[in-house]
Amino acid sequence: MGLLSEFKERRLFRIVAAYAAGGWIVLSGIDQLVDREVLPLFIYHIGLVWYIGGLLGSIVLGWYHGEKGAQKATRNEIALMTGLAIAAVVLSGSILRAEFGEGPATGLEALSTTEDPRRIAVLYFEDRSPGGELSFLADGLTESLIDELSQVEVLHVVSRNGSRLFRDSSAPYDSIGGALEVGTLVEGTVAQSEDRLRVDVDMIQASTGRQIGSRRLDRPRSELFELQDELAREVAFFLREELGEEIGLIERQAGTDNVEAWELLQRAEAVARDADPLVSAEDFAAASRQLLQADSILAEAEKLAEDWVDPIQRRGWLAYRQSRLGGFDRSHYPQWIDTGMGHAQRALALAPTDPDALELRGTLQYWRYALNLAGGSDEAARLFRSAETDLRTSVEANPGQASAWTSLSHLLMRRNAVAEGKLAALRSYEADPYLANANLTLWRLFLASLDLEDRVEAENWCSEGQRRFPEDFRFTECPLWTFIMRGQEPDIELAWSLLDRYRQQVPPSAREILSKRAEMLVAMALVRANLPDSARAVAERARADATLDPIRELALMESWVQTWLGDYDEAFRLLGMYLAANPAERESIATDQTWYLQDLRQDPRFNSLVGSGS
């Protein structure tokens, strides 16, 4: 009997075809459920494995049992079917492991964030000298240790800003560990006896307060850098004992071997920090004097170490801070931006790839662009492109450059790359959730979610901002923004209540303009609440002249109100007023794809108004 005849006799074709058809129907049904997101994709992959295995199994069964009459299972048949089943199980297991991981974590991987000793916060060292003479030195040693440990790949080290939250704090260790999500705390004291420095350092298990170890380091003050190296080695030794694994520190890169210059830089940092409470109190003149004093100290450090880039680029950042003092008075902006750019260029001449110097130059160029200080549209476009290039190069050189990611996110959102801008803000928050301007990063994440009409994400970032920065007026403002989204039925009584709270929180120097901006948001909420007459009245009351609102932001916001009310003539008048004050924004408005002006874009007058910038 020929092979084909034997296949027919055993009904092999019929059995295999019946299985193939029935199995394909089941597999197609699974595929449809996966497409509709009823089932996860890995279920389809497992189903495909078993379908193919079953197809091979149907051939075996047809061969051994396709003939009419009873047949016994042979050893060969049992071995083949068992092998197919084992293969299907193994392949299915591989798919599940790829989907859910290799199994439960063990050892260090199974620990929570507050139990993992590799997660470390170095608390600011305490100055034990008479009159606090060594406070700048204690800070410098703390920050050097943070920087050096941060370069160890197996460790997660909280940034300076996170540690600064608990400076001089009496909070218990477990509270600090829980807030910073770390398992290990490092704390220390600094004292001086004659010309010798003494540093006592302790390693503590955060969850229990148990001291893991302690060391006393003693060096002549002239050997400050050797003390820093020894401090890093001792902490690394603690970690080796605790983690049971070798931890290698890369060589310290202080950038200078001049102890006096290094001490001056630390002193300047301390002086500059003292400007922060003055800015908060809106004593801008005193804050400016404080920053000038810090700059003069950095100038001394620069003279002592002419090839050291740090004092130069930090002088540039002081100039940038000076340019931002004084609220809405712009008369001094160009002077300080030019000064900062000079420092940035000198720093980059010494270190062309320094991420801080690149960020400085990019930030200053973008700041000049944002203030409409460019000489014309071509110059504005050049500034924008150069700023983006510098900021991108900075984060490429150091992916952990959180502040550069923050600035880049603002720039990207300004040119309507909203999704990419949100990703940049996320990179900033992931790199350093304790960044000094983390509130602005959270605000940017909120605004990006708002622009993308993602209400869930917007409310999430608004809540996170309210939790972390309850006194920041932006996070009282953010619920007002969610009220204006399409399809909302806002609580108008709550909106007025939020406006009252907002007015109490905003800085006095900007209270009038920011209050009007919030009123404009209430007007938009009134539109969504189907109260057009009230919306129009509130919007008109919130208007301001060019003295109070030189960039005409309120005119732009009211153009949205009038668009949603259907008054396109008034909306175009207001949009034209905004573009006249901000000619560099024509291209941005022309390419804008967010929902705020979506209806207005359908009108032929829109292209006529913005066309010269598109």
Side-chain angles (χ1 to χ4, degrees):
M1 180 185 296
L3 185 60
L4 185 59
S5 298
E6 193 164 355
F7 282 173
K8 290 180 178 179
E9 183 70 22
R10 295 173 185 265
R11 297 180 293 175
L12 193 62
F13 293 120
R14 218 181 309 171
I15 291 171
V16 172
Y19 171 82
W24 186 255
I25 291 171
V26 173
L27 194 64
S28 297
I30 293 174
D31 185 40
Q32 291 293 319
L33 293 174
V34 169
D35 284 344
R36 289 172 171 77
E37 299 183 351
V38 176
L39 294 175
L41 181 60
F42 75 88
I43 295 292
Y44 177 79
H45 292 154
I46 291 175
L48 185 61
V49 166
W50 283 94
Y51 173 69
I52 295 171
L55 193 63
L56 296 174
S58 70
I59 295 173
V60 173
L61 290 173
W63 180 262
Y64 285 101
H65 299 288
E67 292 180 301
K68 293 180 180 180
Q71 297 93 18
K72 291 183 178 180
T74 65
R75 288 183 178 179
N76 288 341
E77 178 193 353
I78 292 171
L80 286 169
M81 294 299 291
T82 301
L84 287 171
I86 291 172
V89 169
V90 169
L91 287 171
S92 298
S94 298
I95 293 169
L96 289 170
R97 280 195 298 275
E99 182 70 22
F100 298 109
E102 295 293 331
T106 59
L108 289 170
E109 301 304 327
L111 297 175
S112 68
T113 55
T114 54
E115 295 174 326
D116 188 343
R118 297 168 300 179
R119 301 180 64 87
I120 299 168
V122 181
L123 302 180
Y124 271 80
F125 287 9
E126 181 185 351
D127 172 23
R128 292 280 179 86
S129 65
E133 296 173 359
L134 298 179
S135 60
F136 73 95
L137 195 57
D139 290 351
L141 287 171
T142 304
E143 292 169 2
S144 293
L145 182 56
I146 291 171
D147 291 343
E148 291 177 19
L149 292 179
S150 296
Q151 297 175 76
V152 182
E153 190 173 346
V154 297
L155 301 180
H156 174 89
V157 183
V158 171
S159 71
R160 303 177 184 187
N161 296 299
S163 296
R164 202 170 284 139
L165 293 174
F166 292 93
R167 186 174 187 153
D168 303 322
S169 172
S170 59
Y173 294 126
D174 59 342
S175 297
I176 298 174
L180 298 179
E181 296 186 327
V182 297
T184 303
L185 298 173
V186 178
E187 64 177 6
T189 62
V190 178
Q192 183 169 345
S193 178
E194 295 182 350
D195 65 340
R196 298 187 69 82
L197 289 173
R198 187 180 71 243
V199 178
D200 291 292
V201 58
D202 296 321
M203 177 85 67
I204 296 159
Q205 187 178 58
S207 59
T208 64
R210 178 177 67 87
Q211 188 181 79
I212 300 168
S214 65
R215 288 290 189 279
R216 171 168 288 184
L217 310 177
D218 189 284
R219 286 269 187 172
R221 183 160 176 167
S222 60
E223 297 180 8
L224 181 60
F225 290 157
E226 289 80 356
L227 177 61
Q228 283 182 253
D229 288 338
E230 190 175 348
L231 180 62
R233 284 196 300 272
E234 290 298 330
V235 173
F237 177 75
F238 290 159
L239 294 171
R240 285 199 297 272
E241 286 184 324
E242 177 66 11
L243 303 180
E245 58 179 293
E246 184 70 23
I247 295 175
L249 285 170
I250 68 173
E251 291 186 5
R252 185 176 61 80
Q253 298 177 350
T256 183
D257 56 3
N258 189 307
V259 172
E260 187 179 353
W262 186 89
E263 284 197 17
L264 284 169
L265 187 142
Q266 305 310 318
R267 197 184 298 274
E269 292 282 281
V271 170
R273 276 196 294 272
D274 288 341
D276 294 339
L278 297 171
V279 173
S280 298
E282 298 197 357
D283 189 347
F284 300 124
S288 179
R289 289 193 296 271
Q290 197 75 18
L291 296 179
L292 285 172
Q293 182 184 349
D295 180 74
S296 65
I297 297 172
L298 287 172
E300 291 181 43
E302 186 182 344
K303 289 178 183 177
L304 291 171
E306 293 181 353
D307 59 347
W308 189 22
V309 71
D310 281 21
I312 304 172
Q313 57 93 356
R314 294 191 193 196
R315 292 184 72 188
W317 284 113
L318 289 179
Y320 173 67
R321 289 183 65 183
Q322 290 274 20
S323 78
R324 297 194 69 103
L325 293 178
F328 289 82
D329 177 12
R330 300 183 171 210
S331 60
H332 65 298
Y333 288 171
Q335 168 200 345
W336 287 114
I337 292 174
D338 289 343
T339 300
M341 282 295 291
H343 294 315
Q345 298 291 15
R346 289 191 302 112
L348 288 167
L350 280 176
T353 61
D354 184 82
D356 292 319
L358 285 164
E359 180 189 352
L360 170 63
R361 187 172 69 180
T363 301
L364 288 166
Q365 289 181 112
Y366 183 49
W367 185 222
R368 189 190 295 276
Y369 168 87
L371 294 170
N372 290 326
L373 297 178
S377 58
D378 290 343
E379 173 64 10
R382 186 198 65 77
L383 280 172
F384 194 93
R385 289 193 301 269
S386 296
E388 181 174 357
T389 298
D390 279 343
L391 292 171
R392 287 190 184 276
T393 307
S394 174
V395 296
E396 286 170 7
N398 176 21
Q401 195 89 354
S403 53
W405 280 116
T406 295
S407 297
L408 182 60
S409 74
H410 190 278
L411 181 148
L412 290 168
M413 290 172 64
R414 187 141 187 174
R415 72 164 170 82
N416 299 318
V418 179
E420 190 182 359
K422 183 178 179 181
L423 289 175
L426 281 170
R427 290 292 300 272
S428 172
Y429 198 63
E430 290 165 358
D432 187 0
Y434 303 105
L435 191 67
N437 59 351
N439 56 333
L440 297 182
T441 303
L442 286 169
W443 178 245
R444 206 143 294 140
L445 286 164
F446 166 75
L447 290 179
S449 302
L450 188 77
D451 287 353
L452 295 168
E453 281 197 283
D454 189 337
R455 183 183 179 186
V456 173
E457 274 283 282
E459 291 178 343
N460 170 61
W461 292 115
C462 182
S463 298
E464 179 68 5
Q466 290 169 338
R467 182 186 69 81
R468 286 198 55 192
F469 304 101
E471 299 306 315
D472 191 319
F473 63 88
R474 295 173 186 85
F475 302 108
T476 299
E477 180 182 333
C478 61
L480 292 173
W481 283 98
T482 61
F483 285 169
I484 76 170
M485 297 178 78
R486 291 186 290 193
Q488 302 305 305
E489 296 180 4
D491 183 336
I492 298 302
E493 185 176 344
L494 176 58
W496 287 116
S497 174
L498 287 169
L499 176 61
D500 289 339
R501 191 192 317 165
Y502 179 84
R503 285 171 170 154
Q504 296 170 11
Q505 290 179 319
V506 295
S509 61
R511 183 164 294 152
E512 186 177 1
I513 180 64
L514 292 179
S515 294
K516 285 183 173 294
R517 169 185 151 114
E519 275 189 82
M520 203 65 78
L521 289 172
V522 173
M524 296 182 209
L526 288 164
V527 176
R528 297 305 188 203
N530 199 28
L531 297 168
D533 293 339
S534 298
R536 190 173 284 106
V538 172
E540 290 177 0
R541 189 174 67 208
R543 290 174 176 175
D545 61 22
T547 304
L548 182 62
D549 182 23
I551 63 173
R552 295 297 194 179
E553 181 188 20
L554 294 175
L556 175 64
M557 294 176 73
E558 190 184 349
S559 73
W560 305 346
V561 177
Q562 300 297 344
T563 298
W564 302 345
L565 289 171
D567 190 345
Y568 282 20
D569 290 342
E570 182 65 4
F572 276 116
R573 186 187 72 81
L574 292 162
L575 182 58
M577 184 185 299
Y578 171 76
L579 291 175
N582 302 273
E585 292 298 304
R586 285 185 181 276
E587 183 174 355
S588 177
I589 294 291
T591 58
D592 176 77
Q593 294 299 314
T594 55
W595 51 276
Y596 308 100
L597 291 172
Q598 189 175 56
D599 294 337
L600 211 60
R601 283 197 296 270
Q602 311 306 315
D603 192 295
R605 288 174 289 180
F606 184 82
N607 288 333
S608 299
L609 183 62
V610 303
S612 61
S614 59

